[in-house]
Amino acid sequence: MKAYLHEKEEDEYGEGDEEWEDIEEGEFEEGEDEDDEEEEEEEEEEPVSKVAKIPGGQTSIQFTPDDFVEVGVISRAHGIRGEVKVQLITDEPRKRLGTPNRRLWLQAGTGRGTGAAAGSSSSSQMLQRLIVESGRVARPASKDRRAEWAVKFREVANRDQAELLAGSKLLLALCDRESSPRGRDEFFITDLVGLKALQQGSAELLGIVTEVYDSTGSYSLLRVRLAPDESDIQQSRYRSILVPFVEDMVPTVDVAAGQLLLSLPEGLMETASAKKLRRPYTPEQQAQLRRQLLQRQQQQQEQQ
């Protein structure tokens, strides 16, 4: 199964307790507002655009991070017809960059220019509409780097205008995203991050998906941050595992319910990596985590 990369890949998760406090989707995270976390999770699990629909005739819009995902970066002009070279940050280039009349949004970067045409805004917070005319592979993917596409946009008439776009990002509005058909086993990264990972059969809470990596094969990798046990609490550490995103190990993904089921092979849990928090848990945090641990254990006993 694949998770499409409409976001930049992030550095390895978990450099310290600041990142732990940033995640508020699970039942076992540390923080001062833990009593409210379950309610927050219901609001944040499924990414929903605040922009219900952008009118077709609208040519600019204010950038809001929760409403757009990045699909590529314009590297330079290509040819004399106004085409640009795009470094991909998507596994669906034909849908995003090769489909005529596809609507994308330009976020001005640090290149030579500031917009798609004369008079366009130089503010990186104001997005300019771009409509795809055509797109094709300009450089196939290799072992070390992604493919690069040559794309012609309706608003970019010549090379001079194309050169102004170097360094700018191409964004897809989430309100346009759902119009793109996906296969049954295809998901967006924003769908998966934050899902609870439950053990198939017992429904035991194993952890939370914190990151999705694009592997070199036909599947992605899920990083699952494990629910802390007593040893984790005592040592002020957290553990995580990498799970191949394949049907044998992830038989069920229910985005609407905010969870997925794992069927892990013997020994995979023993591969968990552990990292110390930069600051140890306070007594209050330890007490809270132990209450949550006890609650999970009691729920597990009731289900047996």
Side-chain angles (χ1 to χ4, degrees):
M1 294 185 284
K2 290 295 292 183
Y4 289 119
L5 300 178
H6 296 314
E7 298 178 313
K8 286 186 176 179
E9 294 185 23
E10 300 176 354
D11 295 334
E12 183 174 351
Y13 182 83
E15 290 301 316
D17 50 352
E18 290 82 1
E19 290 86 353
W20 176 271
E21 292 169 353
D22 286 341
I23 299 181
E24 297 180 348
E25 285 112 349
E27 296 179 342
F28 52 85
E29 286 82 321
E30 104 182 52
E32 298 177 356
D33 300 323
E34 285 147 327
D35 292 338
D36 298 327
E37 286 174 357
E38 187 172 348
E39 295 179 5
E40 292 175 0
E41 179 185 3
E42 295 299 322
E43 299 174 358
E44 297 177 1
E45 277 176 352
E46 177 69 9
V48 178
S49 173
K50 298 182 182 64
V51 181
K53 187 175 181 181
I54 302 174
Q58 188 165 334
T59 59
S60 64
I61 192 171
Q62 184 73 28
F63 172 67
T64 49
D66 292 339
D67 294 326
F68 296 88
V69 287
E70 187 176 349
V71 298
V73 177
I74 296 175
S75 58
R76 60 191 182 279
H78 178 68
I80 61 174
R81 297 177 50 250
E83 288 184 308
V84 294
K85 286 282 189 72
V86 177
Q87 297 174 350
L88 301 182
I89 310 179
T90 175
D91 284 338
E92 296 184 293
R94 295 196 181 279
K95 290 181 180 179
R96 301 304 180 216
L97 302 172
T99 303
N101 298 318
R102 162 67 67 186
R103 178 172 65 176
L104 297 175
W105 297 90
L106 180 81
Q107 185 178 43
T110 57
R112 293 174 53 185
T114 58
S120 61
S121 172
S122 62
S123 171
S124 62
Q125 297 304 309
M126 245 356 243
L127 306 181
Q128 304 298 316
R129 187 193 68 183
L130 291 178
I131 304 296
V132 174
E133 281 191 1
S134 63
R136 68 185 192 282
V137 177
R139 186 189 66 198
S142 65
K143 181 179 179 181
D144 300 325
R145 58 186 180 182
R146 294 181 180 275
E148 192 171 50
W149 274 55
V151 183
K152 178 69 172 67
F153 292 105
R154 182 187 303 169
E155 292 83 356
V156 185
N158 52 55
R159 184 179 179 87
D160 288 342
Q161 291 183 354
E163 288 178 344
L164 297 177
L165 306 185
S168 297
K169 298 177 181 179
L170 293 173
L171 309 181
L172 174 71
L174 289 182
C175 62
D176 293 337
R177 186 190 73 172
E178 297 304 324
S179 63
S180 299
R182 288 179 285 171
R184 182 175 58 87
D185 295 328
E186 298 172 342
F187 301 88
F188 294 102
I189 285 180
T190 50
D191 291 333
L192 299 174
V193 172
L195 295 185
K196 296 177 184 178
L198 308 180
Q199 176 66 47
Q200 186 183 36
S202 67
E204 175 188 357
L205 177 64
L206 298 179
I208 287 178
V209 178
T210 59
E211 285 187 276
V212 181
Y213 300 108
D214 183 33
S215 69
T216 57
S218 59
Y219 59 85
S220 301
L221 289 172
L222 306 182
R223 179 178 290 279
V224 177
R225 186 164 184 175
L226 300 177
D229 58 19
E230 180 60 31
S231 178
D232 296 328
I233 297 171
Q234 290 180 3
Q235 298 181 46
S236 292
R237 70 177 186 182
Y238 61 88
R239 294 171 297 128
S240 61
I241 58 174
L242 290 176
V243 179
F245 193 37
V246 295
E247 188 172 1
D248 288 346
M249 296 192 196
V250 191
T252 302
V253 178
D254 191 338
V255 175
Q259 65 185 37
L260 52 79
L261 299 183
L262 297 182
S263 178
L264 302 179
E266 185 178 354
L268 194 147
M269 290 292 287
E270 282 66 43
T271 67
S273 61
K275 288 190 177 182
K276 285 275 193 179
L277 300 177
R278 288 178 181 167
R279 294 190 298 269
Y281 291 129
T282 66
E284 293 78 10
Q285 290 168 339
Q286 287 183 332
Q288 175 68 20
L289 291 171
R290 287 192 173 100
R291 287 194 296 270
Q292 294 170 350
L293 175 60
L294 178 60
Q295 182 181 16
R296 296 198 304 274
Q297 292 172 340
Q298 291 174 341
Q299 291 174 346
Q300 184 64 23
Q301 291 174 356
E302 292 173 357
Q303 295 172 356
Q304 292 178 349

